[in-house]
């Protein structure tokens, strides 16, 4: 997400979907044999999100990880549907429409985090303005909306995801709960870093379980380095895979 100046959520994009062969009905066990997962890469080239400490836009981090998530999930038997292609512009509502039209198990929106300006220092990287944290802010955050019609399931998925990320040695960043302008998000589970963020469009308007993951804080030197390492990306993708596998089994038995 971004910092306060740019409403985070507003960025969303979409792509053309790819595929097709979905499932029939959620109530049918066959729906779980090859479950559909909507993978949403936050932002677009025109609304690229935060600028990292290394001068890259957030959208680049999101697209890179989404590509890896899609490959790994597909290899593990999921059907993945992106909400947008890498160079595609798309509105938030279009992302939601895609999420709602595939009888999917869940939607996972991928973002990389920033912080409020009060915690940032202006720097220059690659000829453009960038920011870095004045004090360390590291970790992931997970958001869910109580306005989502499947909030309970969204929260279950969020907890499973948080548990797998914690197993990697990651910690949640709690800076979105601070009582300052632009933050103050209620924590539903501080240990797992799960926040309530009701009005995020892609979460509240989705009719399937939906979770937004801020993978790491890319204006922080340590955390940007963490999420940039290929082995860490692999671990994060695997954590997502494991959590979706567990979530699928829970949904199947409900
Ligand atoms: Zn973002």
């Amino acid at each position: 997400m971004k910092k306060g100046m740019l409403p985070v959520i507003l960025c969303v994009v979409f792509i053309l979907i790819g595929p097709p062969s979905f499932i029939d009905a959620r109530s049918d066990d066959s729906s779980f044999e090859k479950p559909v997962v909507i993978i949403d890469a936050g932002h677009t080239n025109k609304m690229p999100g935060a600028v990292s400490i290394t001068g890259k836009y957030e959208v680049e981090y999101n697209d890179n990880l989404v590509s890896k998530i899609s490959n790994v999930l597909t290899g593990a038997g999921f059907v993945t549907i992106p909400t947008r292609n890498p160079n595609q512009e798309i509105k938030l509502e279009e992302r939601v429409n895609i999420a709602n039209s595939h009888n999917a198990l869940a939607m996972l929106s991928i973002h990389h985090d920033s912080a409020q300006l009060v915690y940032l220092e202006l720097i220059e990287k690659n000829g453009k303005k960038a920011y870095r944290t004045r004090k360390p802010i590291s970790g992931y955050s997970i958001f869910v909306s109580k306005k989502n019609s499947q909030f309970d399931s969204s929260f279950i998925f969020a907890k499973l995801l948080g548990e797998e990320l914690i197993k990697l040695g990651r910690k949640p960043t709690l800076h979105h709960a601070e009582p300052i302008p632009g933050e103050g998000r209620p924590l539903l589970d501080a240990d797992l870093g799960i926040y309530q963020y009701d009005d995020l469009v892609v979460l509240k308007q989705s009719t399937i379980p939906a979770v937004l993951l801020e993978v790491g804080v890319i204006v922080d030197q340590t955390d940007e380095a963490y999420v940039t390492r290929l082995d860490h990306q692999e671990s994060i993708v695997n954590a997502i895979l494991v959590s979706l596998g567990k979530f699928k089994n829970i949904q199947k038995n409900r």
Side-chain angles (χ1 to χ4, degrees):
M1 252 194 236
K2 333 192 87 196
K3 39 200 141 174
M5 31 203 271
L6 294 197
V8 182
I9 316 183
L10 303 180
C11 352
V12 178
V13 190
F14 121 93
I15 312 186
L16 259 231
I17 328 181
S21 47
F22 321 101
I23 326 190
D24 318 60
R26 276 302 288 304
S27 55
D28 183 339
D29 273 1
S30 65
S31 302
F32 295 98
E33 290 174 8
K34 222 166 161 48
V36 174
V37 179
I38 308 295
I39 306 294
D40 177 54
H43 303 260
T44 67
N45 287 346
K46 287 185 178 175
M47 294 185 64
V51 180
S52 77
I53 190 170
T54 61
K56 293 194 308 182
Y57 283 114
E58 179 194 338
V59 68
E60 298 177 52
Y61 295 84
N62 297 341
D63 283 357
N64 171 64
L65 197 67
V66 161
S67 171
K68 295 183 176 188
I69 292 168
S70 296
N71 288 340
V72 169
L73 290 183
T74 301
F78 288 88
V79 174
T80 59
I81 296 179
T83 53
R84 68 163 172 81
N85 290 308
N87 295 315
Q88 186 169 1
E89 297 296 319
I90 180 179
K91 295 177 181 174
L92 292 173
E93 289 73 13
E94 293 175 288
R95 299 180 191 246
V96 171
N97 289 341
I98 291 168
N100 292 346
S101 58
H102 292 99
N103 199 18
L105 174 69
M107 174 165 67
L108 177 62
S109 185
I110 295 294
H111 286 251
H112 287 72
D113 213 355
S114 184
Q116 296 299 321
L117 283 176
V118 64
Y119 295 130
L120 301 177
E121 178 176 34
L122 185 63
I123 60 174
E124 185 178 315
K125 278 286 177 182
N126 302 337
K128 61 176 175 269
K129 288 180 181 177
Y131 293 92
R132 69 178 167 217
T133 50
R134 296 178 187 273
K135 62 174 186 179
I137 303 178
S138 292
Y140 72 88
S141 298
I142 298 174
F143 295 89
V144 291
S145 170
K146 286 196 172 177
K147 291 183 179 176
N148 178 289
S149 59
Q150 297 206 48
F151 165 73
D152 289 349
S153 292
S154 300
F155 193 31
I156 289 170
F157 175 30
K159 287 189 278 192
L160 292 168
L161 178 57
E163 287 167 0
E164 294 305 318
L165 293 171
I166 294 286
K167 288 178 187 172
L168 303 181
R170 288 289 275 166
K171 290 189 170 62
T173 174
L174 303 178
H175 69 296
H176 295 299
E178 293 183 14
I180 62 172
E183 302 290 7
R185 304 286 164 211
L187 274 161
L188 298 177
D189 190 319
D191 293 337
L192 295 177
I194 302 171
Y195 294 87
Q196 177 183 345
Y197 199 156
D198 286 343
D199 285 325
L200 285 175
V201 171
V202 295
L203 299 183
K204 75 173 180 180
Q205 293 181 9
S206 295
T207 55
I208 59 173
V211 165
L212 187 149
L213 171 63
E214 294 279 2
V215 180
V217 183
I218 55 175
V219 290
D220 184 87
Q221 185 166 24
T222 300
D223 227 30
E224 197 275 344
Y226 182 94
V227 301
T228 301
R229 269 182 49 170
L230 297 180
D231 57 338
H232 291 160
Q233 292 172 3
E234 268 181 38
S235 300
I236 291 165
V237 170
N238 190 60
I240 291 168
L241 170 63
V242 171
S243 63
L244 277 167
K246 291 181 176 179
F247 182 61
K248 177 193 71 174
N249 290 334
I250 289 173
Q251 294 297 83
K252 184 178 179 177
N253 294 320
R254 289 184 99 189

